[in-house]
Amino acid sequence: MFRGKIASILEKELKDAKLSKSAIHEALEIPPSTEMGDYAFPCFSLAKVLRKNPSEIAKTLAVKIKPNQELEKTEAINGYVNFFLKKPVFAEEVVGRIFDEKEKFGHSDRGKGKKVVIESPGPNTNKPLHLGHMRNMALGISLSNIFKANGYKSINVDIINDRGIHIMKSLLAYKKFGKGKDPAKGHKPDHFVGDFYVLYSKEEKKNPKSKEKLQEELQSLLRKYEASDKETIYLLKRMNSWAVQGIQETYNRFGMHIDKAYYETEHFEKGKALIKEYEKKGLFEKEDDGSISINLEEEGLGKKVLLRADGTSIYITQDLYLALQRYKDFKPDKMIYVVGSEQIYHFKVLFTILKKLGFKFAENYYHLPYGMVYLPEGKMKSREGNVVDADNLMDETAALAKKEILRREPKLDKKDLDERAERIALGAINFFLIRYDALKDFTFNPEESISFEGETGPYIQYAHARASSILRKAEKEFNLKPKFNPRVLKLAEKEEHVLVRELSRFPSIVKDGAEKLKPDLIANYAYKLAQAFTDFYTNQKVLAEDTREREERLQLVAATRRVLANALALINIAALEKM
């Protein structure tokens, strides 16, 4: 939009600085107040190149850049060139484009013909998903949607961790106490498996002798598995199938779609073979104890064991194989791993090894790390059985949403109540999990997240519902459906202009969300847009007596409703017609 036009003007005037249009476009800012203009260009980085004071550069540019059909004026303020757009022209361009592009407003084809593969959330099959997995899914789903909006083909993959010591703990407890039972009707199968994981932990804590005996049995079970004992493998497959079934139900409820799942039991042996192959080629080292490693001291990553002395694999073993396999499967232009921040070192090692082995595609492999999620009671734990799992958290948040809905609409029928509460609850959870920078640790408070006021998902959903309500009322009372009509568009009032300006930002926010791997940009934009809309309809009468004012403001309401819906869709939140 106008950002690009301003960048072109500045590029022409800054030939001596040799700044590209894209660099200028990136540098343009939105001033905090409309009194400071609609766009601002900082001149501080030009001081060294042009050998002038930033304030002088800004003043010179402000004089050179003349008003035109779209630009009302420019001002130099403290080293910035501030651009003031003509409000009616600005409104016509922004609102017209939204009416024209509809659900595609904010989308682009900059990634056309390219593929991105996103790994998320990587569950273990010994327990249900918990709040940490929900943050992973919220980030993964949003990233996938944002890349699609930028024209990419987005492919969601999963790694199912269905073997290892923790999985065996559930299996051992089931062998000892499960009595061959299947999950009872109404008992979610992943919770059934998780109950045995908790039971193992409780048995282990009874006394030192009990712990020692259980650990001996656990090692015996592991050896049986490694030796392909039929009974052990049968039981493991049975329990894993229950866990995966339950996890899939949670995926479906949360809106997580997986295009391809990779199972650890199916590829860990291939990972071991790959390590041995490269060791024979002299690319990895065999240590005196029989383990295989790689020296990454020059890269500041130390020496990394790739295969243990006893021949058993570790995470890096299978991740090396999977990185190659996924490239064979999809030939992605980008591969993004959504994995907790405690694995930052692991992925630095993984990508470094791939590059040292000559795989150039690793230059486009990225790790999106994320921080811990806490509850008001403290850090989540799973072995003690006091973890707040995803299913229970969604149920609890939906129950809180029902109370809020009934307080506002006590006669709502049960079906509508249940459906609306579920969509509000999922919106509340998604927004809370995405609104922070991914690396930030934070405390999730269900009661705070479900509030219809403040920086929450329901607040944004309410703004969309409010816009829908205004449009229904306009149709009922005035038989009026908003259509784009530039002849009546002035939108010169402060709240109107602020809202138009906020709407204009959406395409660049979607672009930045993909380029910077930051879904929080979309979440925070949606909140600011909802705020601007609330200020607008609070201070300006939409269904005004004056026909022209009524028509232009309804166009603005319809445009805002559309952009709110588009933004919410990117972060996996339902845009509701009624709240």
Side-chain angles (χ1 to χ4, degrees), residues 450-483:
I450 208 69
S451 174
F452 283 28
E453 298 175 358
E455 196 171 348
T456 68
Y459 174 79
I460 304 167
Q461 288 175 307
Y462 179 78
H464 182 274
R466 179 64 176 161
S468 299
S469 174
I470 291 170
L471 295 176
R472 286 195 300 271
K473 187 175 181 181
E475 185 175 4
K476 183 178 179 181
E477 294 186 6
F478 298 95
N479 194 29
L480 186 61
K481 285 187 176 181
K483 295 179 181 178

Side-chain angles (χ1 to χ4, degrees), residues 335-474:
M335 170 78 207
I336 301 165
Y337 296 80
V338 184
V339 183
S341 57
E342 68 275 9
Q343 296 298 330
I344 288 175
Y345 169 76
H346 171 84
F347 283 101
K348 283 182 179 179
V349 169
L350 174 63
F351 301 156
T352 300
I353 293 173
L354 288 169
K355 291 170 190 175
K356 285 178 79 72
L357 294 177
F359 295 108
K360 293 183 179 179
F361 61 76
E363 296 288 345
N364 296 311
Y365 274 34
Y366 304 92
H367 173 212
L368 176 63
Y370 60 90
M372 289 294 299
V373 185
Y374 297 89
L375 292 164
E377 295 77 21
K379 186 177 176 180
M380 296 176 299
K381 295 181 181 178
S382 57
R383 284 187 294 175
E384 288 77 7
N386 61 354
V387 67
V388 175
D389 66 69
D391 300 308
N392 291 346
L393 187 63
M394 286 188 281
D395 290 342
E396 179 186 336
T397 310
L400 291 170
K402 283 182 184 179
K403 288 182 181 179
E404 183 64 28
I405 294 166
L406 288 173
R407 187 176 68 81
R408 295 163 177 261
E409 204 170 341
K411 294 183 179 179
L412 189 66
D413 69 76
K414 186 179 184 304
K415 183 181 177 182
D416 287 345
L417 174 63
D418 290 344
E419 182 179 328
R420 198 182 300 179
E422 177 77 356
R423 297 173 84 184
I424 290 172
L426 292 177
I429 293 168
N430 267 292
F431 182 80
F432 214 104
L433 296 177
I434 296 170
R435 62 184 269 206
Y436 299 100
D437 179 83
L439 268 175
K440 184 179 175 64
D441 296 344
F442 64 88
T443 298
F444 176 78
N445 188 323
E447 291 188 1
E448 181 185 336
S449 76
I450 208 69
S451 174
F452 283 28
E453 298 175 358
E455 196 171 348
T456 68
Y459 174 79
I460 304 167
Q461 288 175 307
Y462 179 78
H464 182 274
R466 179 64 176 161
S468 299
S469 174
I470 291 170
L471 295 176
R472 286 195 300 271
K473 187 175 181 181

